[in-house]
Amino acid sequence: RRLLDGLFYLVRTGCQWRHLPPPPAFPPWPTIYGYMRAFLRDGGWESIRHHIVVMLREGAGREPSPTAAILDTQSVKTTESGGPRGYDAAKKVKGRKRHIAVDTQGLLLGVLVHAASIQDADSAGELLRRIKPLYTWLRAVFADSIYDRLAVLRACFLLGLTLVVVRRVAGTKGFVLLPRRWLVERTIGWLGRWRRLSKDYEQRPDVAEAMITLAMIRLMLHRLAHPNRKRLPAL
């Protein structure tokens, strides 16, 4: 329990590993970091996230496996820590992209972190190949027009999925609430409350994926413990 609390503290406050409060508050930071990497190597965080998603869906009276997923990306800046990075010309951001898939409740189904220079359509196939074995009833994928590319259509065909492109109504300006797509935007907004995720501080993309997964695990655990209160209390 103190190990998990230490990881949640790190993601929530955005502190450095060496600045984690020492024992007896939490275990020594090398211990926390070592177990985080061990769980990441063995697929532990993905397994925990998957089981909590199933529990929340069943608690809401839904089937364990969703039939629809919504995709989107978020480009964030990186620091001098190193690792793969690139330039997103559309967002004018030099760093990495967080490619996420959520269900119709906004629960995280999968995440992929890569250089911001990689187009959304080029990495969508890898993300879909990650989540399809976990959610075998998945049938439809909702996304914006940037995903209407041959690479995504081919990946959906091979995985038995149907791509549904949600487009803006012609002539509209400013903010428009689009069906389905607002759900993934809301999840990205939830992630913005975690200071460790304000930028990509990690050297390794898989560790960056673990930080996002840990934030969602904490949010979903809060929903399990307090089903009538959707938002975490302020710090």
Side-chain angles (χ1 to χ4, degrees), residues 8-33:
F8 295 148
Y9 181 92
L10 178 87
V11 182
R12 182 73 170 180
T13 63
C15 70
Q16 294 175 322
W17 284 102
R18 289 171 176 80
H19 291 174
L20 278 170
F26 303 124
W29 77 263
T31 301
I32 298 177
Y33 181 78

Side-chain angles (χ1 to χ4, degrees), residues 89-152:
K91 303 290 180 61
K92 295 180 173 57
V93 172
K94 183 177 181 180
R96 293 181 185 150
K97 277 184 182 178
R98 297 165 178 166
H99 209 152
I100 67 171
V102 303
D103 71 351
T104 53
Q105 291 181 285
L107 304 178
L108 186 68
L109 303 181
V111 58
L112 176 66
V113 175
H114 53 76
S117 55
I118 300 176
Q119 297 296 316
D120 299 0
D122 295 333
S123 60
E126 175 62 26
L127 179 60
L128 293 174
R129 284 188 288 272
R130 287 189 182 188
I131 66 175
K132 178 60 176 178
L134 297 174
Y135 307 99
T136 54
W137 294 354
L138 194 63
R139 293 293 179 267
V141 176
F142 294 87
D144 60 16
S145 56
I146 196 65
Y147 290 87
D148 193 9
R149 301 289 189 275
L150 180 60
V152 185

Side-chain angles (χ1 to χ4, degrees), residues 12-207:
R12 182 73 170 180
T13 63
C15 70
Q16 294 175 322
W17 284 102
R18 289 171 176 80
H19 291 174
L20 278 170
F26 303 124
W29 77 263
T31 301
I32 298 177
Y33 181 78
Y35 274 103
M36 185 277 295
R37 290 292 298 271
F39 273 53
L40 176 61
R41 182 181 62 250
D42 298 337
W45 302 126
E46 185 177 89
S47 178
I48 293 172
R49 184 196 67 220
H50 172 69
H51 281 86
I52 298 177
V53 168
V54 170
M55 291 171 66
L56 283 173
R57 290 185 58 84
E58 290 179 335
R62 296 170 178 261
E63 295 294 337
S65 174
T67 57
I70 308 102
L71 304 183
D72 204 358
T73 61
Q74 179 191 31
S75 296
V76 293
K77 295 180 180 180
T78 52
T79 64
E80 69 282 357
S81 58
R85 69 186 71 187
Y87 183 72
D88 183 353
K91 303 290 180 61
K92 295 180 173 57
V93 172
K94 183 177 181 180
R96 293 181 185 150
K97 277 184 182 178
R98 297 165 178 166
H99 209 152
I100 67 171
V102 303
D103 71 351
T104 53
Q105 291 181 285
L107 304 178
L108 186 68
L109 303 181
V111 58
L112 176 66
V113 175
H114 53 76
S117 55
I118 300 176
Q119 297 296 316
D120 299 0
D122 295 333
S123 60
E126 175 62 26
L127 179 60
L128 293 174
R129 284 188 288 272
R130 287 189 182 188
I131 66 175
K132 178 60 176 178
L134 297 174
Y135 307 99
T136 54
W137 294 354
L138 194 63
R139 293 293 179 267
V141 176
F142 294 87
D144 60 16
S145 56
I146 196 65
Y147 290 87
D148 193 9
R149 301 289 189 275
L150 180 60
V152 185
L153 294 171
R154 181 176 181 274
C156 289
F157 173 76
L158 295 175
L159 295 171
L161 302 172
T162 301
L163 177 65
V164 181
V165 178
V166 182
R167 303 179 186 272
R168 291 172 62 97
V169 178
T172 58
K173 296 181 179 179
F175 174 76
V176 179
L177 187 67
L178 298 176
R180 302 293 184 181
R181 278 177 55 186
W182 71 271
L183 293 163
V184 67
E185 296 288 352
R186 183 182 62 176
T187 301
I188 292 174
W190 290 344
L191 296 176
R193 299 172 184 167
W194 298 77
R195 294 188 179 184
R196 185 80 178 190
L197 305 181
S198 61
K199 288 184 179 180
D200 193 328
Y201 293 96
E202 317 305 331
Q203 183 177 8
R204 298 168 54 102
D206 57 345
V207 176

